[in-house]
Each structure stands twice: as structure tokens, then as C-alpha cells.
Amino acid sequence: MTIIAVFNQKGGVGKTTTTANLAAAMARNGLTPLAIDLDPQAHLTAMSGLKPKVERTVYSFFQQHTPLSELVTQLPNQVNLIPSHMELAKVDMLLSQNRRDLRRLKKAMQLEMLSAAGTPVLIDCCPMLGVLSLSALIAADVVLVPVTAEYLAMNGALQLDQTLNGLTSKGLHRPRKVFINRYQRGQITSEHVATELTRRYGRDFCRTRVFESQSVMEGSGKNLDVFSYAPDSESAEDFSYLLDELVENRFIRTAC
Ligand SMILES: Nc1ncnc2c1ncn2[C@@H]1O[C@H](COP(=O)(O)OP(=O)(O)OP(=O)(O)O)[C@@H](O)[C@H]1O
Ligand SMILES: [Mg+2]
């Protein structure tokens, strides 16, 4: 059972891109991943080419207690998706940050056995730390943190460290794995950020670097993951390596 929350409190660092492409990498390796779009911006949903009615989205789980399993849509690339809707923003305002509300997602996933053997779950978080993101962090077995090769994205990762330390003090330790996204070899900022992340995170920093890539951008514009859009691209290789590294680290406990 592996639930991965993809999170960084900094916006635009590649959380959605990572969720989409890592899930696609899993599907190509014979896993049947479930991706949950837990962001009211609903970018993962849009990137998947879906425009669901609000009652068919994760909003309905939080507001109407609809079972998560009833909200799953299978995408052409064999990734299962629970989509989002902009109405989800209300959940962050309406639900409190009490223990019961924050554990609802985790509990439902356990009860519905959504992450039973062979089904890794990826949760695409929004960049704010509210009920939604905290619910994802509590539900997660591991937190995957994309950091773009720029200084402000490192600050977002630092803020996340504080959040995770807070959870640890409540007996909710969540291991994290940080990786660099939009890396450009030889570019001074990219090299500085990579050096700093290595120093700061040591073994929690992935050796895999996801490079800045035209294929990633173009593919998302056509509602395609990089394996479907450019299967021979370096980006497809990057996301395959990222998956391999997570498997190697036993964050994904299914052989592939
Ligand atoms: N490796 C990459 N190469 C090129 N473009 C990338 C790469 N990763 C992400 N992008 C682009 O960066 C932009 C932001 O990415 P994305 O939406 O995945 O970030 P995010 O962290 O999910 O943002 P938000 O915080 O708003 O949810 C998108 O236009 C995406 O196509
Ligand atoms: Mg996003």
C-alpha cells in the first residue's frame, strides 16, 4: 500500500506535471495507479481532458460523503483518476481543521481499500496548506516534493519541512523525498539549487533530475502525458527513472 502526496507549498513547481507523468509511468509498468486531484484549480483534471460535473468529483466525497470509489474515471493511458472541480475551494473554507475532518480522507481510503496491494495512489495537492493538503499529508505514506531549479521553490520545501515536523510531533511522521524539476544542466541557478538540496536533504534528495523539457509542456497542452506524447523523449526517461528510484527506496512496494 503506497499513498504518495505530491506537495510543495510553492506554486508552479510541477506537482501536477509530476502526478500526471509518474502515474503514467506506473501504468506503463503494469501497475494500476489511482491519481486524486485534490486541487480546486483542477489542473490534473483539465490536463486529463475531463470536464466533469461537480457531483462526479472529489468535492462530492467531502460534501456529500460519496464513496471515493464511485468517483473514479479510467483514462485512456490506464491511469484511474478521481477528478476535481473549482467548487472544492469551499471545502477548505467550510471544513474545520479538527482531527476528524483531517482524517476523513485517510479513513475512507483505508475502508475502501483504495490503495490495496498493487494500487499506488498519487495525490496532487494544491499549493496552500489548508484542510485539503493536510488531509493528503495525513493520508500519505510518503510525501514527494518537486522543487524547481529556483530559490523560492526551495523556500516552499523548507516550509513543508516545518509542516512535516509538526505532524511528526503529533505522532504522524511522514517520510519525504525531494527532487529537482526543470533542471538545466550547466545553468548556474540549477547547479546551485541542486547542490543546496543535496546538502540539505542528503539521502532524501533524489538522484533523478527531471529536466526542463519542451515535450512535457507540449504534451500537457494536448492533454497527454509525456509517454503518450513523446515516448522516446528524455522526459519520459526522467519520469521512468523517478519511478525506479521510488521503487528502489521501497516507497512503492510493488515490483515493476
Ligand atoms: N520538467 C518540466 N519541463 C517543462 N515545463 C514544466 C516541467 N514541469 C512543469 N512544467 C510546466 O510548469 C508549469 C507549472 O507546472 P505544474 O502545473 O505541474 O505545477 P504545480 O506545482 O502543479 O502548480 P500549482 O501549484 O499551481 O498546482 C506548467 O506549465 C508545466 O507544463
Ligand atoms: Mg498543480
Side-chain angles (χ1 to χ4, degrees), residues 152-184:
L152 285 176
M154 276 200 297
N155 284 348
L158 270 185
Q159 287 169 352
L160 172 62
D161 286 347
Q162 287 168 12
T163 305
L164 293 180
N165 288 341
L167 287 179
T168 300
S169 70
K170 293 187 171 80
L172 296 166
H173 174 68
R174 297 292 178 265
R176 51 143 161 61
K177 202 79 184 163
V178 177
F179 75 95
I180 194 163
N181 182 30
R182 307 194 76 163
Y183 175 77
Q184 295 182 61

Side-chain angles (χ1 to χ4, degrees), residues 17 22 40 57 66 137 151 177 255:
T17 303
L22 196 56
T57 72
T66 306
L137 294 177
Y151 297 111
K177 202 79 184 163

